[in-house]
Amino acid sequence: MTARATPRVLTAATAALLALGGLSACSDGDGGGGKDPGRVDVVAAFYPLQFLTERIGGDRVVVGNLTKPGAEPHDLELNPRQVGQVVDAELIVYLTGFQPAVDEAVEQNGGDRAFDVAGVAPLLDAAAGDHEHEGEAGHEGEAGHEEGGGKDPHLWLDPTRLATVGDRLAERLGAVDPGHAADYTARAGALRAELTKLDTEYAEGLRTCQRREIVTSHTAFGYLAEHYKLEQIGITGLTPESEPSPQRLAEVAREAREHQAGTIFFETLVSPKVAETIAREVGAKTAVLDPIEGPPAEGDYLSAMRANLQTLRTALDCS
Ligand SMILES: [Zn+2]
Ligand SMILES: [Zn+2]
């Protein structure tokens, strides 16, 4: 008897809490609580897509994020509650080929509610922006290319691409919530203006630099390198967890010396050990270059991109 009564009490209490949470969510908009029937319930697969959806959705959407802050998103695994988020969401914003567990959950449960960011514009090949010498075919070696002809998912590191994704996302949100389609379009336009300004800052800030080679921890900066004419020497491949071979480490160290790289970059969500090893070997410093795969410790995508720009300008001696 008590065993049957207890859940009902809890259910009533939970319902009351959810009702209260729904009221307060109008002002704090953290998206962590229950459903709000007045707003579009969206789940984003990882931080840059959450940022994009919140900026374009504004107060019309509640956005959840499948990747918890501090977690490395490439190897995300979904628990049943997170699969439930995918099942329940009115719109799922994700990027095929980036997080296999999310791809699978969307395939099984996403129906026609999924918006695939990878489908907006053709992705770059995995090797795009990689560093190669004239007449020397693919000396980047095995580590950067184990995906063999794969596509590079890290498109958010080119702000002009992110703006285009934003325009398409606004159209999709407008289809889900036609009464506010004009609002989504307007917010996407405002974000595009901010991203265009960021793009200009990058183009000008990186126009005249002593060096253009960036030695990065994993090969996350292909879009950035391609757009701003830098050359990426990635220590590991497209996913951070792949261990570089001793040959790869030796090759990166040789490249770093040859191009007088004074800085080896590491990132926030993975161990800096390998970058530190190479830096020690070639007498370089280390610095954080954030691939923005998770939320920055402070600020947002835009401020993290600007911090990256300052880091690059210092490391590459840009005037
Ligand atoms: Zn990555
Ligand atoms: Zn080289």
Side-chain angles (χ1 to χ4, degrees), residues 131-133 136 139-140 213 231 233 254-256 258-259:
H131 170 72
E132 277 179 19
H133 290 224
E136 204 182 307
H139 78 154
E140 283 308 297
E213 296 82 12
E231 295 194 40
I233 301 167
R254 183 174 59 74
E255 285 290 339
E258 182 186 326
H259 298 288

Side-chain angles (χ1 to χ4, degrees), residues 8 28 55 66 76 227 294 301 307:
R8 289 173 61 183
D28 67 25
R55 289 298 300 265
L66 291 174
L76 176 72
H227 199 70
Y301 167 86

Side-chain angles (χ1 to χ4, degrees), residues 97-121:
F98 184 55
Q99 298 167 292
V102 176
D103 293 354
E104 194 185 325
V106 168
E107 196 173 310
Q108 290 174 2
N109 306 293
D112 57 0
R113 294 169 293 113
F115 176 74
D116 180 7
V117 164
V120 169

